[in-house]
Amino acid sequence: MTDPDNQFTQPVYHESDADRRHLEDKTVAVLGYGSQGHAHAQNLADSGVDVVVGLRENSSSRDAAEADGLRVETPVDAASDADVVSVLVPDTVQPEVFEAIEPELEAGDTLQLAHGFNVHYGQVEPPERVDVTMVAPKSPGHLVRRNYEAGQGTPALLAVYQNATGEARQEGLAYADAIGCARAGVVETTFREETETDLFGEQAVLCGGVAELTKAGYETLVDAGYSPEMAYFECLNELKLIVDLMYEDGLTAMWDSVSDTAEYGGLTRGEAVIDESVRENMEAVLEQVQNGEFAREWIAENQANRPAYRQRRNAEQNHEVEAVGERLRQLFAWADEETAQETQHEQEVSADD
């Protein structure tokens, strides 16, 4: 099961730990056919699992799912037919979908999710009669599908929130194996840990922190009289090169790959930028995640039709770095190829379902 050298702090499961018999003679309903939904449904079907896709009658993804050879019903009918209901619609619509399908969940069924937000913060309150699990691939859905087709795996998280049958973990692991994740490794966690670390990472580092750091660096150079083009290259364009190095082999490999000048400058000046005050701000962000303040704010924002969200998004889109980047990206050969691939993917899979 776990790493034999005990290198991990959490249990890590692999194919040898999974027993597909926990899905035998069961129907899995995949609600939604967006980024994760299409990958889960197709991988499950290719693994021999009986799958039904649940989509609204007017969903733009119905044709795509049927073209992929999958049976499509409404979410309520799909849930009624299923033993395992995998809810892969966006967080903001999950409570509404759950309210519609909840009467169809029978004793011993499984409600499964790929993110713990709504369960952790009480927007979805599952009945005691069902198992509640989470299988969350740590990759966009198109890579989950691509890796499966290539005979490879995508790491995933596994969590059990409610174990009514006593077999929730085994069934969740069988599901993770059927979508290909056990080929790589399935790390056990909890709904609370997954939700709170996910939100913190997005806000403080991956999305919020990186975006603000990038804009601040860009603005500092431009305000000092340097050209917008040079500021863009140095503070945004080259960011991907550094992140790729860290992603592939960690921080040490990144330091080994950059010049000695870059390494010394980064090691001696990085802490001047990300100082103790930044760490204190991060702790404040984490506290707002832990105490539910962010969740309540985001729920209220959606109920009010997202006024602050739209305002901030418009401001971000109108930042000067975006206009400069749009011009400069035309110089790269990969831009046209990437745009074509994204357009094709958007036509095949609707992220709104």
Side-chain angles (χ1 to χ4, degrees):
M1 178 186 71
T2 56
D3 172 60
D5 297 326
N6 197 31
Q7 295 177 343
F8 296 101
T9 61
Q10 300 280 69
V12 180
Y13 303 97
H14 300 280
E15 286 181 288
S16 59
D17 303 307
D19 187 348
R20 294 276 189 92
R21 288 177 295 181
H22 286 282
L23 287 179
E24 276 185 357
D25 302 322
K26 292 183 178 181
T27 297
V28 176
V30 175
L31 306 188
Y33 207 67
S35 175
Q36 290 293 330
H38 87 283
H40 288 224
Q42 291 182 55
N43 291 4
L44 286 166
D46 287 350
S47 292
V49 178
D50 182 32
V51 178
V52 55
V53 176
L55 295 170
R56 306 184 314 271
E57 291 185 352
N58 62 347
S59 169
S60 59
S61 294
R62 274 182 166 265
D63 290 343
E66 291 174 347
D68 289 331
L70 297 165
R71 178 163 57 103
V72 181
E73 298 180 0
T74 66
V76 171
D77 289 340
S80 178
D81 291 345
D83 305 283
V84 179
V85 182
S86 188
V87 182
L88 300 178
V89 297
D91 288 342
T92 52
V93 299
Q94 278 185 18
E96 178 184 352
V97 172
F98 174 75
E99 184 178 359
I101 68 166
E102 195 272 340
E104 310 303 326
L105 297 175
E106 300 178 354
D109 284 352
T110 298
L111 176 69
Q112 186 179 274
L113 304 103
H115 182 35
F117 183 96
N118 283 301
V119 169
H120 180 57
Y121 291 116
Q123 297 304 294
V124 166
E125 297 184 0
E128 294 182 359
R129 62 182 179 271
V130 303
D131 290 342
V132 182
T133 59
M134 174 171 55
V135 175
K138 299 308 292 179
S139 169
H142 70 277
L143 291 181
V144 175
R145 178 58 178 164
R146 184 188 306 169
N147 288 342
Y148 179 94
E149 291 180 304
Q152 300 171 350
T154 303
L157 303 178
L158 169 67
V160 175
Y161 180 81
Q162 195 163 278
N163 189 11
T165 66
E167 298 183 352
R169 178 175 286 98
Q170 296 93 319
E171 185 186 77
L173 184 56
Y175 182 103
D177 184 42
I179 64 174
C181 293
R183 297 172 181 173
V186 181
V187 181
E188 188 165 9
T189 184
T190 66
F191 271 61
R192 173 182 178 271
E193 184 176 58
E194 184 276 337
T195 300
E196 294 180 359
T197 57
D198 182 76
L199 292 176
F200 172 80
E202 291 168 350
Q203 295 169 23
V205 182
L206 305 176
C207 303
V210 168
E212 289 304 313
L213 186 65
T214 298
K215 289 186 295 182
Y218 173 89
E219 292 166 0
T220 298
L221 286 178
V222 171
D223 290 346
Y226 298 99
S227 69
E229 290 78 13
M230 289 302 298
Y232 179 88
F233 278 131
E234 298 303 329
C235 296
L236 192 153
N237 181 73
E238 294 190 19
L239 184 63
K240 182 183 186 305
L241 307 178
I242 301 302
V243 170
D244 283 349
L245 292 170
M246 292 191 292
Y247 176 82
E248 292 168 4
D249 281 306
L251 291 173
T252 299
M254 181 275 290
W255 291 125
D256 288 343
S257 298
V258 301
S259 70
D260 291 348
T261 305
E263 181 178 8
Y264 178 77
L267 291 172
T268 59
R269 275 26 178 208
E271 292 181 354
V273 177
I274 308 300
D275 61 9
E276 192 59 35
S277 67
V278 175
R279 299 176 192 275
E280 292 173 359
N281 291 338
M282 285 186 170
E283 290 174 359
V285 168
L286 178 58
E287 183 178 356
Q288 291 174 359
V289 168
Q290 292 172 325
N291 64 22
E293 181 178 342
F294 170 77
R296 291 189 294 271
E297 178 184 320
W298 177 229
I299 292 166
E301 179 72 12
N302 281 281
Q303 293 172 341
N305 199 27
R306 303 186 174 186
Y309 171 87
R310 297 177 193 278
Q311 182 181 19
R312 288 180 177 273
R313 196 178 195 194
N314 288 337
E316 194 79 351
Q317 292 171 345
N318 292 323
H319 191 281
E320 182 183 295
V321 73
E322 287 293 272
V324 174
E326 185 175 358
R327 295 195 299 269
L328 288 176
R329 285 191 294 272
Q330 297 175 16
L331 304 177
F332 291 92
W334 50 258
D336 291 338
E337 179 182 351
E338 188 172 87
T339 300
Q341 291 176 346
E342 289 177 353
T343 301
Q344 179 181 0
H345 181 67
E346 289 172 358
Q347 290 172 345
E348 293 174 349
V349 180
S350 170
D352 293 333
D353 294 310

CSV table of all heavy atoms in Angstrom, one decimal, residues 78-133:
chain,number,residue,atom,x,y,z
A,78,ALA,N,-30.1,9.9,-14.3
A,78,ALA,CA,-28.8,9.3,-14.2
A,78,ALA,C,-28.5,8.9,-12.7
A,78,ALA,O,-28.1,7.7,-12.5
A,78,ALA,CB,-27.7,10.2,-14.7
A,79,ALA,N,-28.8,9.8,-11.8
A,79,ALA,CA,-28.6,9.4,-10.4
A,79,ALA,C,-29.5,8.3,-9.9
A,79,ALA,O,-29.2,7.5,-9.1
A,79,ALA,CB,-28.8,10.7,-9.5
A,80,SER,N,-30.7,8.3,-10.5
A,80,SER,CA,-31.7,7.3,-10.1
A,80,SER,C,-31.2,5.9,-10.6
A,80,SER,O,-31.4,4.9,-9.9
A,80,SER,CB,-33.0,7.6,-10.8
A,80,SER,OG,-34.0,6.5,-10.5
A,81,ASP,N,-30.5,5.8,-11.7
A,81,ASP,CA,-30.0,4.6,-12.2
A,81,ASP,C,-28.7,4.1,-11.6
A,81,ASP,O,-28.4,2.9,-11.7
A,81,ASP,CB,-29.7,4.7,-13.7
A,81,ASP,CG,-31.0,4.9,-14.6
A,81,ASP,OD1,-32.1,4.6,-14.0
A,81,ASP,OD2,-30.9,5.3,-15.7
A,82,ALA,N,-28.0,5.0,-10.9
A,82,ALA,CA,-26.7,4.7,-10.5
A,82,ALA,C,-26.5,4.2,-9.0
A,82,ALA,O,-27.4,4.5,-8.2
A,82,ALA,CB,-25.8,6.0,-10.7
A,83,ASP,N,-25.4,3.6,-8.8
A,83,ASP,CA,-25.0,3.2,-7.5
A,83,ASP,C,-23.9,4.2,-6.9
A,83,ASP,O,-23.8,4.4,-5.7
A,83,ASP,CB,-24.4,1.8,-7.5
A,83,ASP,CG,-25.3,0.8,-8.1
A,83,ASP,OD1,-26.3,0.4,-7.4
A,83,ASP,OD2,-25.1,0.4,-9.2
A,84,VAL,N,-23.2,4.8,-7.9
A,84,VAL,CA,-22.2,5.8,-7.5
A,84,VAL,C,-22.5,7.0,-8.4
A,84,VAL,O,-22.6,6.9,-9.6
A,84,VAL,CB,-20.7,5.3,-7.9
A,84,VAL,CG1,-19.7,6.4,-7.6
A,84,VAL,CG2,-20.4,4.0,-7.1
A,85,VAL,N,-22.7,8.1,-7.7
A,85,VAL,CA,-23.0,9.4,-8.4
A,85,VAL,C,-21.8,10.3,-8.2
A,85,VAL,O,-21.5,10.8,-7.1
A,85,VAL,CB,-24.3,10.0,-7.8
A,85,VAL,CG1,-24.6,11.3,-8.6
A,85,VAL,CG2,-25.4,9.1,-7.9
A,86,SER,N,-21.1,10.5,-9.3
A,86,SER,CA,-19.9,11.4,-9.3
A,86,SER,C,-20.3,12.8,-9.8
A,86,SER,O,-20.6,13.0,-11.0
A,86,SER,CB,-18.8,10.8,-10.2
A,86,SER,OG,-17.6,11.5,-10.1
A,87,VAL,N,-20.3,13.7,-8.9
A,87,VAL,CA,-20.8,15.1,-9.2
A,87,VAL,C,-19.6,15.9,-9.6
A,87,VAL,O,-18.8,16.4,-8.8
A,87,VAL,CB,-21.5,15.7,-8.0
A,87,VAL,CG1,-22.0,17.1,-8.3
A,87,VAL,CG2,-22.6,14.8,-7.5
A,88,LEU,N,-19.5,16.2,-10.9
A,88,LEU,CA,-18.3,16.9,-11.5
A,88,LEU,C,-18.8,18.2,-12.2
A,88,LEU,O,-18.1,18.6,-13.1
A,88,LEU,CB,-17.6,16.0,-12.4
A,88,LEU,CG,-17.0,14.7,-11.8
A,88,LEU,CD1,-16.4,13.8,-12.8
A,88,LEU,CD2,-16.1,15.0,-10.7
A,89,VAL,N,-19.8,18.8,-11.7
A,89,VAL,CA,-20.2,20.1,-12.2
A,89,VAL,C,-19.5,21.2,-11.4
A,89,VAL,O,-19.0,20.8,-10.3
A,89,VAL,CB,-21.8,20.3,-12.1
A,89,VAL,CG1,-22.5,19.3,-13.0
A,89,VAL,CG2,-22.2,20.1,-10.6
A,90,PRO,N,-19.5,22.4,-11.8
A,90,PRO,CA,-18.8,23.5,-11.1
A,90,PRO,C,-19.3,23.6,-9.6
A,90,PRO,O,-20.4,23.4,-9.4
A,90,PRO,CB,-19.0,24.7,-11.9
A,90,PRO,CG,-19.2,24.2,-13.3
A,90,PRO,CD,-20.0,22.9,-13.1
A,91,ASP,N,-18.4,24.0,-8.7
A,91,ASP,CA,-18.7,24.2,-7.3
A,91,ASP,C,-20.0,25.1,-7.2
A,91,ASP,O,-20.8,24.8,-6.3
A,91,ASP,CB,-17.6,24.9,-6.6
A,91,ASP,CG,-16.4,24.0,-6.4
A,91,ASP,OD1,-16.6,22.7,-6.5
A,91,ASP,OD2,-15.3,24.5,-6.1
A,92,THR,N,-20.1,26.1,-8.0
A,92,THR,CA,-21.2,27.1,-7.8
A,92,THR,C,-22.6,26.5,-8.1
A,92,THR,O,-23.6,27.0,-7.6
A,92,THR,CB,-20.9,28.3,-8.6
A,92,THR,OG1,-20.7,27.9,-10.0
A,92,THR,CG2,-19.8,29.1,-8.1
A,93,VAL,N,-22.7,25.4,-8.8
A,93,VAL,CA,-24.0,24.9,-9.2
A,93,VAL,C,-24.2,23.5,-8.5
A,93,VAL,O,-25.3,23.0,-8.6
A,93,VAL,CB,-24.2,24.7,-10.7
A,93,VAL,CG1,-24.1,26.0,-11.4
A,93,VAL,CG2,-23.1,23.7,-11.3
A,94,GLN,N,-23.2,23.0,-7.8
A,94,GLN,CA,-23.4,21.7,-7.1
A,94,GLN,C,-24.5,21.7,-6.1
A,94,GLN,O,-25.3,20.7,-6.1
A,94,GLN,CB,-22.1,21.4,-6.4
A,94,GLN,CG,-21.0,20.7,-7.3
A,94,GLN,CD,-19.8,20.2,-6.5
A,94,GLN,OE1,-19.8,20.1,-5.3
A,94,GLN,NE2,-18.7,20.0,-7.2
A,95,PRO,N,-24.7,22.7,-5.2
A,95,PRO,CA,-25.8,22.7,-4.3
A,95,PRO,C,-27.2,22.5,-5.0
A,95,PRO,O,-28.0,21.7,-4.5
A,95,PRO,CB,-25.7,24.0,-3.6
A,95,PRO,CG,-24.3,24.4,-3.6
A,95,PRO,CD,-23.8,23.9,-5.0
A,96,GLU,N,-27.4,23.2,-6.1
A,96,GLU,CA,-28.6,23.1,-6.8
A,96,GLU,C,-28.8,21.7,-7.4
A,96,GLU,O,-29.9,21.1,-7.4
A,96,GLU,CB,-28.7,24.1,-8.0
A,96,GLU,CG,-29.9,24.1,-8.8
A,96,GLU,CD,-29.8,25.1,-10.0
A,96,GLU,OE1,-28.9,25.9,-10.0
A,96,GLU,OE2,-30.7,25.0,-10.9
A,97,VAL,N,-27.7,21.1,-8.0
A,97,VAL,CA,-27.8,19.8,-8.6
A,97,VAL,C,-28.0,18.8,-7.5
A,97,VAL,O,-28.8,17.8,-7.7
A,97,VAL,CB,-26.4,19.5,-9.3
A,97,VAL,CG1,-26.4,18.0,-9.8
A,97,VAL,CG2,-26.3,20.4,-10.6
A,98,PHE,N,-27.3,18.9,-6.4
A,98,PHE,CA,-27.5,18.0,-5.3
A,98,PHE,C,-28.9,18.0,-4.8
A,98,PHE,O,-29.5,16.9,-4.5
A,98,PHE,CB,-26.5,18.3,-4.1
A,98,PHE,CG,-26.8,17.4,-2.9
A,98,PHE,CD1,-26.4,16.1,-2.9
A,98,PHE,CD2,-27.4,17.9,-1.8
A,98,PHE,CE1,-26.6,15.3,-1.8
A,98,PHE,CE2,-27.7,17.1,-0.7
A,98,PHE,CZ,-27.2,15.8,-0.7
A,99,GLU,N,-29.5,19.1,-4.6
A,99,GLU,CA,-30.9,19.2,-4.2
A,99,GLU,C,-31.8,18.4,-5.1
A,99,GLU,O,-32.8,17.8,-4.6
A,99,GLU,CB,-31.3,20.7,-4.1
A,99,GLU,CG,-32.7,20.9,-3.5
A,99,GLU,CD,-33.1,22.3,-3.5
A,99,GLU,OE1,-32.3,23.2,-3.8
A,99,GLU,OE2,-34.3,22.6,-3.0
A,100,ALA,N,-31.5,18.4,-6.4
A,100,ALA,CA,-32.4,17.7,-7.3
A,100,ALA,C,-32.2,16.2,-7.3
A,100,ALA,O,-33.1,15.4,-7.4
A,100,ALA,CB,-32.1,18.2,-8.8
A,101,ILE,N,-31.0,15.8,-7.0
A,101,ILE,CA,-30.7,14.3,-7.1
A,101,ILE,C,-30.7,13.6,-5.7
A,101,ILE,O,-30.8,12.4,-5.7
A,101,ILE,CB,-29.3,14.1,-7.7
A,101,ILE,CG1,-28.2,14.5,-6.8
A,101,ILE,CG2,-29.2,14.7,-9.1
A,101,ILE,CD1,-26.8,14.0,-7.1
A,102,GLU,N,-30.7,14.4,-4.6
A,102,GLU,CA,-30.7,13.8,-3.3
A,102,GLU,C,-31.8,12.8,-3.1
A,102,GLU,O,-31.5,11.7,-2.5
A,102,GLU,CB,-30.8,14.9,-2.2
A,102,GLU,CG,-30.4,14.5,-0.9
A,102,GLU,CD,-31.6,13.9,-0.1
A,102,GLU,OE1,-32.7,14.2,-0.5
A,102,GLU,OE2,-31.3,13.2,0.9
A,103,PRO,N,-33.0,13.0,-3.5
A,103,PRO,CA,-34.0,11.9,-3.3
A,103,PRO,C,-33.7,10.6,-4.0
A,103,PRO,O,-34.3,9.6,-3.7
A,103,PRO,CB,-35.3,12.6,-3.9
A,103,PRO,CG,-35.1,14.0,-3.8
A,103,PRO,CD,-33.6,14.2,-4.1
A,104,GLU,N,-32.9,10.6,-5.0
A,104,GLU,CA,-32.5,9.4,-5.8
A,104,GLU,C,-31.4,8.6,-5.1
A,104,GLU,O,-31.1,7.5,-5.6
A,104,GLU,CB,-32.1,9.8,-7.2
A,104,GLU,CG,-33.0,10.8,-7.9
A,104,GLU,CD,-34.5,10.2,-8.0
A,104,GLU,OE1,-34.6,9.0,-8.2
A,104,GLU,OE2,-35.4,11.0,-8.0
A,105,LEU,N,-30.8,9.2,-4.1
A,105,LEU,CA,-29.7,8.5,-3.4
A,105,LEU,C,-30.3,7.5,-2.4
A,105,LEU,O,-30.9,7.8,-1.4
A,105,LEU,CB,-28.8,9.4,-2.7
A,105,LEU,CG,-28.0,10.5,-3.6
A,105,LEU,CD1,-27.3,11.4,-2.8
A,105,LEU,CD2,-27.1,9.7,-4.6
A,106,GLU,N,-30.1,6.2,-2.7
A,106,GLU,CA,-30.6,5.1,-1.9
A,106,GLU,C,-29.5,4.7,-0.9
A,106,GLU,O,-28.3,5.0,-1.0
A,106,GLU,CB,-31.0,3.9,-2.7
A,106,GLU,CG,-32.1,4.2,-3.7
A,106,GLU,CD,-32.4,3.0,-4.6
A,106,GLU,OE1,-31.7,2.0,-4.5
A,106,GLU,OE2,-33.4,3.1,-5.4
A,107,ALA,N,-30.0,4.0,0.2
A,107,ALA,CA,-29.0,3.5,1.2
A,107,ALA,C,-28.0,2.6,0.5
A,107,ALA,O,-28.3,1.8,-0.2
A,107,ALA,CB,-29.8,2.7,2.3
A,108,GLY,N,-26.7,2.9,0.8
A,108,GLY,CA,-25.6,2.2,0.3
A,108,GLY,C,-25.0,2.8,-1.0
A,108,GLY,O,-24.0,2.3,-1.5
A,109,ASP,N,-25.7,3.8,-1.6
A,109,ASP,CA,-25.1,4.4,-2.7
A,109,ASP,C,-23.9,5.3,-2.3
A,109,ASP,O,-23.7,5.5,-1.1
A,109,ASP,CB,-26.2,5.3,-3.4
A,109,ASP,CG,-27.2,4.6,-4.2
A,109,ASP,OD1,-27.0,3.4,-4.4
A,109,ASP,OD2,-28.2,5.2,-4.6
A,110,THR,N,-23.2,5.8,-3.3
A,110,THR,CA,-22.1,6.7,-3.0
A,110,THR,C,-22.2,8.0,-3.7
A,110,THR,O,-22.6,8.1,-4.9
A,110,THR,CB,-20.8,6.0,-3.5
A,110,THR,OG1,-20.6,4.8,-2.8
A,110,THR,CG2,-19.6,6.9,-3.3
A,111,LEU,N,-22.1,9.1,-3.0
A,111,LEU,CA,-21.9,10.4,-3.5
A,111,LEU,C,-20.5,10.7,-3.6
A,111,LEU,O,-19.8,10.7,-2.6
A,111,LEU,CB,-22.7,11.4,-2.6
A,111,LEU,CG,-22.6,12.9,-3.1
A,111,LEU,CD1,-23.3,13.1,-4.4
A,111,LEU,CD2,-23.1,13.8,-2.0
A,112,GLN,N,-20.0,11.0,-4.8
A,112,GLN,CA,-18.6,11.3,-5.0
A,112,GLN,C,-18.3,12.6,-5.6
A,112,GLN,O,-19.1,13.1,-6.4
A,112,GLN,CB,-17.9,10.2,-5.8
A,112,GLN,CG,-16.4,10.3,-5.9
A,112,GLN,CD,-15.8,9.3,-6.7
A,112,GLN,OE1,-15.5,8.2,-6.2
A,112,GLN,NE2,-15.6,9.5,-8.0
A,113,LEU,N,-17.2,13.3,-5.2
A,113,LEU,CA,-16.9,14.6,-5.7
A,113,LEU,C,-15.4,14.6,-6.0
A,113,LEU,O,-14.7,13.7,-5.7
A,113,LEU,CB,-17.2,15.7,-4.7
A,113,LEU,CG,-18.7,15.7,-4.2
A,113,LEU,CD1,-18.8,15.1,-2.8
A,113,LEU,CD2,-19.2,17.1,-4.2
A,114,ALA,N,-15.0,15.7,-6.7
A,114,ALA,CA,-13.6,15.9,-7.0
A,114,ALA,C,-13.0,17.1,-6.3
A,114,ALA,O,-11.8,17.4,-6.5
A,114,ALA,CB,-13.4,16.0,-8.5
A,115,HIS,N,-13.8,17.7,-5.4
A,115,HIS,CA,-13.4,18.8,-4.6
A,115,HIS,C,-14.3,18.9,-3.4
A,115,HIS,O,-15.5,18.7,-3.5
A,115,HIS,CB,-13.4,20.1,-5.4
A,115,HIS,CG,-13.0,21.4,-4.7
A,115,HIS,ND1,-11.9,21.3,-3.8
A,115,HIS,CD2,-13.4,22.7,-4.7
A,115,HIS,CE1,-11.7,22.6,-3.3
A,115,HIS,NE2,-12.6,23.4,-3.9
A,116,GLY,N,-13.8,19.2,-2.2
A,116,GLY,CA,-14.5,19.1,-1.0
A,116,GLY,C,-15.3,20.4,-0.6
A,116,GLY,O,-15.9,20.4,0.5
A,117,PHE,N,-15.2,21.5,-1.4
A,117,PHE,CA,-15.7,22.8,-1.0
A,117,PHE,C,-17.1,22.7,-0.4
A,117,PHE,O,-17.3,23.2,0.7
A,117,PHE,CB,-15.6,23.7,-2.1
A,117,PHE,CG,-16.1,25.2,-1.8
A,117,PHE,CD1,-15.1,26.1,-1.5
A,117,PHE,CD2,-17.4,25.5,-1.8
A,117,PHE,CE1,-15.5,27.4,-1.2
A,117,PHE,CE2,-17.8,26.8,-1.5
A,117,PHE,CZ,-16.8,27.8,-1.2
A,118,ASN,N,-18.1,22.2,-1.2
A,118,ASN,CA,-19.5,22.3,-0.7
A,118,ASN,C,-19.8,21.4,0.4
A,118,ASN,O,-20.6,21.8,1.3
A,118,ASN,CB,-20.4,22.0,-1.9
A,118,ASN,CG,-20.5,23.2,-2.9
A,118,ASN,OD1,-20.9,24.3,-2.6
A,118,ASN,ND2,-20.0,22.9,-4.1
A,119,VAL,N,-19.2,20.3,0.5
A,119,VAL,CA,-19.4,19.4,1.7
A,119,VAL,C,-18.7,20.0,2.9
A,119,VAL,O,-19.3,20.1,4.0
A,119,VAL,CB,-18.9,18.0,1.4
A,119,VAL,CG1,-18.9,17.2,2.7
A,119,VAL,CG2,-19.8,17.3,0.3
A,120,HIS,N,-17.5,20.4,2.8
A,120,HIS,CA,-16.8,21.0,3.9
A,120,HIS,C,-17.4,22.2,4.5
A,120,HIS,O,-17.5,22.4,5.7
A,120,HIS,CB,-15.3,21.3,3.5
A,120,HIS,CG,-14.5,21.8,4.6
A,120,HIS,ND1,-14.3,21.2,5.8
A,120,HIS,CD2,-13.8,23.0,4.7
A,120,HIS,CE1,-13.5,21.9,6.6
A,120,HIS,NE2,-13.2,23.0,6.0
A,121,TYR,N,-18.0,23.1,3.6
A,121,TYR,CA,-18.6,24.3,4.1
A,121,TYR,C,-20.1,24.2,4.3
A,121,TYR,O,-20.8,25.2,4.4
A,121,TYR,CB,-18.2,25.5,3.2
A,121,TYR,CG,-16.7,25.8,3.3
A,121,TYR,CD1,-15.9,25.7,2.2
A,121,TYR,CD2,-16.2,26.3,4.5
A,121,TYR,CE1,-14.5,26.0,2.3
A,121,TYR,CE2,-14.8,26.6,4.6
A,121,TYR,CZ,-14.0,26.5,3.5
A,121,TYR,OH,-12.7,26.8,3.6
A,122,GLY,N,-20.7,23.0,4.2
A,122,GLY,CA,-22.1,22.8,4.5
A,122,GLY,C,-23.0,23.2,3.5
A,122,GLY,O,-24.3,23.3,3.8
A,123,GLN,N,-22.6,23.5,2.2
A,123,GLN,CA,-23.5,23.8,1.2
A,123,GLN,C,-24.2,22.6,0.6
A,123,GLN,O,-25.3,22.6,0.0
A,123,GLN,CB,-22.8,24.5,0.0
A,123,GLN,CG,-22.2,25.9,0.5
A,123,GLN,CD,-23.3,26.8,1.0
A,123,GLN,OE1,-24.2,27.2,0.3
A,123,GLN,NE2,-23.2,27.1,2.3
A,124,VAL,N,-23.6,21.4,0.8
A,124,VAL,CA,-24.2,20.1,0.5
A,124,VAL,C,-24.1,19.3,1.7
A,124,VAL,O,-23.0,19.1,2.3
A,124,VAL,CB,-23.4,19.4,-0.7
A,124,VAL,CG1,-23.8,18.0,-0.8
A,124,VAL,CG2,-23.6,20.2,-2.0
A,125,GLU,N,-25.2,18.8,2.2
A,125,GLU,CA,-25.3,18.0,3.4
A,125,GLU,C,-25.8,16.6,3.0
A,125,GLU,O,-27.0,16.4,2.9
A,125,GLU,CB,-26.2,18.6,4.4
A,125,GLU,CG,-25.7,20.0,4.9
A,125,GLU,CD,-26.5,20.6,6.0
A,125,GLU,OE1,-27.5,20.0,6.4
A,125,GLU,OE2,-26.2,21.7,6.4
A,126,PRO,N,-24.9,15.6,2.8
A,126,PRO,CA,-25.3,14.3,2.3
A,126,PRO,C,-26.2,13.6,3.3
A,126,PRO,O,-25.9,13.7,4.6
A,126,PRO,CB,-24.0,13.6,2.0
A,126,PRO,CG,-23.0,14.7,2.0
A,126,PRO,CD,-23.5,15.8,2.9
A,127,PRO,N,-27.1,12.7,2.9
A,127,PRO,CA,-27.9,11.9,3.9
A,127,PRO,C,-27.0,10.9,4.5
A,127,PRO,O,-26.0,10.4,3.9
A,127,PRO,CB,-29.0,11.3,3.0
A,127,PRO,CG,-28.4,11.3,1.6
A,127,PRO,CD,-27.6,12.5,1.5
A,128,GLU,N,-27.3,10.5,5.7
A,128,GLU,CA,-26.4,9.5,6.5
A,128,GLU,C,-26.4,8.2,5.8
A,128,GLU,O,-25.5,7.4,6.1
A,128,GLU,CB,-26.9,9.4,7.9
A,128,GLU,CG,-26.7,10.7,8.7
A,128,GLU,CD,-27.1,10.5,10.2
A,128,GLU,OE1,-27.6,9.4,10.5
A,128,GLU,OE2,-27.0,11.5,10.9
A,129,ARG,N,-27.4,7.9,5.0
A,129,ARG,CA,-27.5,6.5,4.4
A,129,ARG,C,-26.5,6.2,3.3
A,129,ARG,O,-26.4,5.1,2.8
A,129,ARG,CB,-28.9,6.4,3.8
A,129,ARG,CG,-29.3,7.3,2.7
A,129,ARG,CD,-30.7,7.1,2.2
A,129,ARG,NE,-31.0,8.0,1.1
A,129,ARG,CZ,-31.6,9.2,1.3
A,129,ARG,NH1,-31.8,9.7,2.5
A,129,ARG,NH2,-31.9,10.0,0.2
A,130,VAL,N,-25.7,7.2,2.8
A,130,VAL,CA,-24.8,7.0,1.7
A,130,VAL,C,-23.4,7.2,2.1
A,130,VAL,O,-23.0,7.9,3.1
A,130,VAL,CB,-25.2,8.0,0.5
A,130,VAL,CG1,-26.6,7.8,0.1
A,130,VAL,CG2,-24.9,9.4,0.9
A,131,ASP,N,-22.5,6.6,1.3
A,131,ASP,CA,-21.1,6.9,1.4
A,131,ASP,C,-20.8,8.2,0.7
A,131,ASP,O,-21.4,8.5,-0.3
A,131,ASP,CB,-20.2,5.8,0.7
A,131,ASP,CG,-20.2,4.5,1.5
A,131,ASP,OD1,-20.6,4.5,2.7
A,131,ASP,OD2,-19.9,3.4,0.9
A,132,VAL,N,-19.8,8.9,1.2
A,132,VAL,CA,-19.4,10.2,0.6
A,132,VAL,C,-17.9,10.1,0.4
A,132,VAL,O,-17.1,10.1,1.4
A,132,VAL,CB,-19.8,11.4,1.4
A,132,VAL,CG1,-19.4,12.7,0.7
A,132,VAL,CG2,-21.3,11.4,1.7
A,133,THR,N,-17.4,10.2,-0.8
A,133,THR,CA,-16.0,10.1,-1.1
A,133,THR,C,-15.5,11.2,-2.1
A,133,THR,O,-16.4,11.9,-2.7
A,133,THR,CB,-15.6,8.7,-1.7
A,133,THR,OG1,-16.4,8.6,-3.0
A,133,THR,CG2,-16.0,7.6,-0.8
